[in-house]
Amino acid sequence: MNEESSDSTPVPDVAALRRRQPRFQGLEAGHRACLGCAQALAARLVLEAAGPDVAVANATGCLEVFTTPWPESAWRVPWVHSLFENAGAVASGLEAAFKAQGRAAKVLAFAGDGGTFDIGFQSLSGMIERHHDVLYVCYDNEAYMNTGVQRSSSTPHAAATTTSPAGRARLGKRHLKKDILSIVAAHHMPYAATASVAYPSDLRKKVRRAVAVEGPTFLLIHSPCPLGWGHDGSRSIEIARLAVESGLVPLIELERGELTGAMPIRAVRPVTDYLKAQARFRHLFADTPEAHRELEHLQALADHNIEVYGLRGAGADPRDTAGADTVRRGGARWA
């Protein structure tokens, strides 16, 4: 029975509310992720949208480490720990085994940017080329966070990491972020998309779309890392949203290499709003010609994304996380 407070407002029975809440069957609370870890949120959103009839092949990395400290596990679906380099191969084997058994379970491969852009790319490419019915999800926190914040080929240009430090010789990483979506799209795969933890409605819709497609699909989820990026954990969603609103992280969909959907940006933000919120870019705000040039370079990259994908528009407000969605663009070529 609920008690009455001094102002006669009913006090909710928290235990009863918890009993009535549907039990989540994918990734449960109690793992060891850092406060504000966007990767943990992204994995939960993916599993909620994919449904219970799935099996996961998870490459070595942050997600594997913080969800499975022996002898515990936060997973409530069939889960296999693969090596850093072979999530695509293990997922292919699971899919082939289920098919041979006549089972309809969907196989998901989970990996970070290190296990996707770099070490695991060979097995990912083979999985796509062999047309395995697998959804491959890359949780992109833009460095090797689990082993000490080393740069990966997903690390943005000019970002500082422990292996691309900012100093007098150079201002952070000197190479552009690898365009992994272009590479997987070149395999003529049925569906590939980008998503962000700042837009859960859009993310869930893309997961459901990918799961429904026959054949290999790919989802790249931009996932801020408070530890590696140097921001407070409470700001992870805000920073993820700024990445999209600045144009540095376009949210798009591709089918057979064609651009079929893009989320328009209602109010474009300057890239400095995104960069200045993170310690990994603080060297770019020094009053030097070199720093000014790097900021101009990053702004030009964002402007290019906005132009190429046609993101500037008022078709939807990307800050509306409940209703934000991509605009379908049948026939437009992806560049």
Side-chain angles (χ1 to χ4, degrees):
M1 180 179 294
N2 293 341
E3 298 178 356
E4 295 290 328
S5 64
S6 59
D7 60 358
S8 299
T9 302
V11 177
D13 186 337
V14 177
L17 290 174
R18 286 175 176 166
R19 285 194 297 271
R20 291 203 302 270
Q21 185 179 24
R23 183 169 177 79
F24 179 63
Q25 297 296 321
L27 183 67
E28 292 203 336
H31 49 67
R32 270 66 162 179
C34 300
L35 294 175
C37 174
Q39 190 176 91
L41 172 61
R44 188 178 179 100
L45 290 171
V46 169
L47 289 167
E48 285 177 349
D53 196 15
V54 300
V56 174
N58 189 180
T60 296
C62 283
L63 182 62
E64 171 264 323
V65 169
F66 70 66
T67 58
T68 58
W70 190 89
E72 301 170 353
S73 174
W75 298 92
R76 295 297 177 265
V77 295
W79 178 89
V80 177
H81 172 208
S82 70
L83 301 177
F84 218 144
E85 67 272 19
N86 68 348
V90 172
S92 299
L94 289 173
E95 185 263 353
F98 287 149
K99 185 177 294 184
Q101 296 170 354
R103 299 176 61 183
K106 184 74 174 187
V107 177
L108 312 179
F110 288 172
D113 51 281
T116 302
F117 287 65
D118 299 337
I119 302 172
F121 178 73
Q122 181 179 9
S123 65
L124 167 61
S125 177
M127 183 203 87
I128 299 171
E129 185 271 332
R130 293 189 302 271
H131 206 71
H132 286 281
D133 188 17
V134 174
L135 166 57
Y136 190 107
V137 182
C138 174
Y139 300 101
D140 185 14
N141 55 25
E142 300 186 328
Y144 289 89
M145 301 306 182
N146 180 53
T147 55
V149 195
Q150 296 90 1
R151 58 91 82 194
S152 75
S153 62
S154 173
T155 303
H157 175 75
T161 71
T162 55
T163 51
S164 62
R168 286 177 293 181
R170 58 181 60 187
L171 296 181
K173 186 190 173 194
R174 307 312 304 152
H175 311 93
L176 293 178
K177 178 180 177 125
K178 182 187 289 184
D179 187 358
I180 193 69
L181 210 64
S182 293
I183 298 171
V184 297
H187 290 68
H188 309 291
M189 64 189 309
Y191 182 81
T194 57
S196 168
V197 292
Y199 309 99
S201 176
D202 178 72
L203 191 157
R204 290 190 186 100
K205 290 174 183 176
K206 287 171 177 173
V207 171
R208 289 193 290 267
R209 167 68 175 146
V211 169
V213 169
E214 178 76 22
T217 53
F218 181 84
L219 185 60
L220 180 66
I221 304 179
H222 194 236
S223 306
C225 171
L227 177 66
W229 294 16
H231 63 81
D232 189 88
S234 65
R235 301 190 66 191
S236 293
I237 301 303
E238 173 194 355
I239 288 171
R241 186 175 297 116
L242 287 170
V244 175
E245 291 180 334
S246 68
L248 284 173
V249 177
L251 301 186
I252 59 176
E253 293 176 286
L254 308 171
E255 297 180 20
R256 302 290 180 186
E258 298 285 330
L259 178 68
T260 56
M263 179 186 289
I265 305 172
R266 181 177 181 182
V268 177
R269 304 282 292 270
V271 295
T272 51
D273 287 358
Y274 171 65
L275 302 175
K276 67 185 178 184
Q278 307 165 63
R280 63 177 178 159
F281 292 113
R282 63 186 169 193
H283 53 280
L284 300 182
F285 294 90
D287 190 15
T288 64
E290 293 80 10
H292 295 325
R293 281 197 296 270
E294 294 297 355
L295 287 176
E296 291 173 359
H297 184 191
L298 291 169
Q299 183 64 63
L301 291 174
D303 293 342
H304 176 75
N305 286 338
I306 291 170
E307 179 67 23
V308 168
Y309 300 121
L311 303 179
R312 193 184 304 274
D317 185 349
R319 291 167 294 183
D320 177 10
T321 58
D325 198 3
T326 55
V327 174
R328 305 301 296 176
R329 299 170 181 264
R333 177 163 292 279
W334 178 66

